Amino acid sequence: LPKAIAAFAKWLAVESGWTVTEREAPDRRVPIQPRHICVLFRRLNSWGRDVTRDYLRELEARHLPHVLVKGGSFNQREEVEAVRNLLGAIERPDDELLVFAAMRGSFIALSDSALLEYRDRFKSLNPFRPRPEPMPPSMQEVGRALDLLRELHRGRNRRPIAETLALAMNRTRAHAGIAIWPTGEQALANILRIMDQARRYEARSGATSFRGFVDMLEDRAERDEASEVPLVEEGTEGIRIMTVHRAKGLEFPVVILADLTCNETRADAARYIDPGRRLAAMQLAGCAPLDLTEHADDEHRRDEEEAIRLLYVATTRARDLIVVPVVGDERYGGWLARLNEVVYPNDMERRSPLEIKPAGCPEFGDDSVLERLPRSPAKMKAVAPGSHRPERGEHRVVWWDPSKLVTEIEESMGLRQDKLLQADEKKERSRRGIEANTKWQERRRAALEAGTTPLLKIETATELAEKEPVIGLQFADNIRVEGVPRAAKRPSGQRFGTLVHATMTRVAFDANDDAIAAAAASEGRILGATAEEVEAAREAVTRALQSPLIAEARAARHVMREFPLLVRLDDGTTVEGIADLLYSPRGDEWIVVDFKTDYDIASRLEAYRAQLGLYLKSVREATGQPASGILLRI
């Protein structure tokens, strides 16, 4: 069955010329591609055996791209095991078995004889074990490989995990070696998938270290499960392989049902659940508790109903074409048995198809069974290939001739490796390749250099005034300092200053004592301020609101509080800031006010004047009117 399904998928995507619709353009038909095909399974594992593995091998042998959604075969692939061994050796260089596995594996690929000679000579494969120089030529490759592991180990926690793996592959030139595997394209895609897992691992909260990622890969491999792969949509390249459960809610142009031998239900009920009694009764070592045996018939009936629902889901995922595996000689049981009546023709019409050559199909023979065992029914009892009317329903079913499919195929080298490995006696191809790579490197270098040049430089007025006050001071030509009465003793510090600013921003200029106290208390809870700080802030804001400056602002024609300002300097730097208070008494000039709560403003007066000077420049350029500044000590 894996051979037949893979061969039919290849025929659909390469030879058929059939067309399907896509969700994005339902009115336009396009040729069938691998991404239009989904192979659905009732299960992925059976008694510890990966059901999909043979299907994957057959697809790979035909160079059909595919995506396995949540399956265990991923961990059993050679390149995935090689990655786990390599990352394990980088993390644990003192584990000689891991180091041996990494150096013998697909990436470094040293011979047994070289490793044995090195181990016999130096008594260890530990990369940090001292060794005499120079080494014999036969051991130099082993020495270089150990040097690489040592280098990667030292930097593993100072670079991204994906970068460590990419560096290992680049240094060993593994890409080129894997590319000429029979399944090279898929192998490279799987390695890229592990790199993507590493990036997601580092991005999520709770990710700890390189060792944590290595342990996670090993743990998943022991449990024989792949990482979560997002459910793929129609835009994903490759044949989708998934369970019916995971296909719920999805739709595909072509659906092929697989795993014909999977039973519809277990022979005996496996469990009984009673939520009301908080009871779960299950079989253990072949023995069933009394609660399970008493309700076995009911549970078996529920299992059958669930099987019918799953079969309904499987058969309704296809938009254009559904392919059902069958046995031409006789009706087969299993999870697809309920489709027999809508697939098989009447026994009297088995050998009499309505059309011998349905439209779009090749010239069929007279047998729908490819091979028969000696005691199998005779060919004359088998359904003849062609178009039939099934026993139930008015639709048409095409029975395929499997002899028209290439079911036996030898794995050949992938990525058109035969062309890659052709002799190049005149060195023309290699020269052109080197020139193309050089030009690409130059374009890449230019793009990186362009990317390092900032297109926009942004500074805050506060930071720029601290670093280079001279810039802002050239605009600070009309600034004065005013103050309001202060308590003899009051709290100080950054939290208190933030509390006063927040309260001033929150209250209205004509707020009464109760409103000021409520605002100070609310902001104090947010900042975690003490009761003393809240009371001092209330008093400071009350005195500020009673000052002549605030009275003038309250009566002004235009008033804005916490107003964002932006200005571009001559060198292209964009400066941004927020003015505490901005008002225009008569509409012909502006006053910018910056609140300060410092105990001694003199020590930072230059930076404050520079900050306010940048605000003045912004207001003058934006309004075209004169502006002056006030530093109000609260």
Side-chain angles (χ1 to χ4, degrees), residues 289-592:
L290 182 61
D291 297 274
L292 178 57
T293 56
E294 289 178 345
H295 297 85
D297 293 340
D298 293 337
E299 291 303 310
H300 191 70
R301 186 168 56 255
R302 288 193 183 95
D303 288 345
E304 287 183 340
E305 293 171 354
E306 175 64 17
I308 293 173
R309 285 191 290 269
L310 279 176
L311 184 59
Y312 172 78
V313 171
T315 55
T316 54
R317 296 310 91 196
R319 186 165 62 241
D320 293 285
L321 174 67
I322 184 168
V323 183
V324 183
V326 291
V327 178
D329 287 337
E330 57 187 5
R331 303 190 181 200
Y332 197 84
W335 76 290
L336 300 176
R338 295 182 185 273
L339 298 179
N340 286 340
E341 291 183 350
V342 296
V343 172
Y344 281 86
N346 187 287
D347 289 344
M348 301 299 295
E349 300 174 350
R350 282 179 167 235
R351 302 300 301 171
S352 304
L354 300 176
E355 292 179 273
I356 298 177
K357 187 183 182 305
C361 297
E363 195 76 40
F364 289 153
D366 62 349
D367 197 353
S368 59
V369 178
L370 187 62
E371 296 179 1
R372 282 188 172 81
L373 296 175
R375 297 184 181 181
S376 298
K379 180 177 71 173
M380 296 309 297
K381 293 185 178 181
V383 179
S387 176
H388 290 266
R389 180 179 291 108
E391 192 172 13
R392 291 186 61 180
E394 298 299 322
H395 58 283
R396 298 288 183 90
V397 178
V398 175
W399 279 69
W400 201 264
D401 181 357
S403 66
K404 300 302 178 181
L405 300 175
V406 182
T407 55
E408 298 297 332
I409 186 171
E410 268 190 47
E411 291 186 343
S412 60
M413 306 179 84
L415 278 178
R416 298 164 295 282
Q417 294 89 332
D418 53 339
K419 295 182 181 178
L420 292 176
L421 299 179
Q422 286 177 358
D424 186 14
E425 296 179 357
K426 296 182 179 180
K427 304 296 181 182
E428 287 295 324
R429 293 182 183 176
S430 57
R431 182 183 58 78
R432 290 196 298 268
I434 293 173
E435 291 176 353
N437 180 263
T438 302
K439 292 179 180 179
W440 176 83
Q441 291 285 2
E442 292 174 353
R443 292 196 302 271
R444 179 176 181 271
R445 191 179 304 109
L448 291 175
E449 290 176 357
T452 59
T453 304
L455 300 178
L456 185 65
K457 183 181 179 182
I458 299 178
E459 294 270 9
T460 65
T462 304
E463 293 175 347
L464 186 59
E466 291 284 351
K467 292 189 302 182
E468 301 180 68
V470 66
I471 296 177
L473 288 175
Q474 59 183 315
F475 312 114
D477 54 345
N478 192 5
I479 294 177
R480 66 181 188 271
V481 181
E482 295 187 7
V484 299
R486 292 186 172 194
K489 292 184 178 180
R490 74 174 193 184
S492 61
Q494 183 177 1
R495 183 172 63 187
F496 178 71
T498 303
L499 175 59
V500 173
H501 271 81
T503 306
M504 278 291 294
T505 303
R506 182 167 174 176
V507 300
F509 282 163
D510 57 354
N512 57 31
D513 291 342
D514 292 340
I516 298 173
S522 174
E523 296 295 336
R525 285 194 297 271
I526 295 173
L527 297 171
T530 64
E532 181 185 5
E533 290 174 331
V534 171
E535 175 57 25
R538 181 203 64 77
E539 183 179 353
V541 172
T542 300
R543 293 183 178 184
L545 295 181
Q546 294 171 355
S547 67
L549 175 64
I550 299 300
E552 183 184 43
R554 187 166 56 239
R557 183 173 180 180
H558 302 294
V559 181
M560 287 162 286
R561 304 169 67 179
E562 288 292 306
F563 191 74
L565 297 173
L566 206 67
V567 64
R568 186 184 294 274
L569 302 179
D570 293 339
D571 64 355
T573 302
T574 299
V575 182
E576 58 181 5
I578 298 179
D580 294 330
L581 175 61
L582 176 64
Y583 69 95
S584 177
R586 296 173 300 277
D588 56 353
E589 66 172 337
W590 292 89
I591 298 176
V592 184

Side-chain angles (χ1 to χ4, degrees), residues 21-33:
T21 59
E22 294 184 313
R23 185 179 306 156
E24 294 78 8
D27 298 330
R28 180 170 59 90
R29 301 191 69 85
V30 297
I32 293 180
Q33 300 177 25

Side-chain angles (χ1 to χ4, degrees), residues 26-51:
D27 298 330
R28 180 170 59 90
R29 301 191 69 85
V30 297
I32 293 180
Q33 300 177 25
R35 63 187 174 86
H36 295 134
I37 302 173
C38 175
V39 182
L40 287 182
F41 289 78
R42 173 70 184 274
R43 61 191 175 176
L44 293 183
N45 291 278
S46 175
W47 299 99
R49 180 182 63 86
D50 181 16
V51 177

Side-chain angles (χ1 to χ4, degrees), residues 74-91:
F74 180 77
N75 297 300
Q76 300 171 12
R77 296 184 60 95
E78 180 181 352
E79 67 275 6
V80 177
E81 289 186 353
V83 169
R84 289 203 309 272
N85 289 336
L86 180 62
L87 296 180
I90 293 171
E91 175 58 33

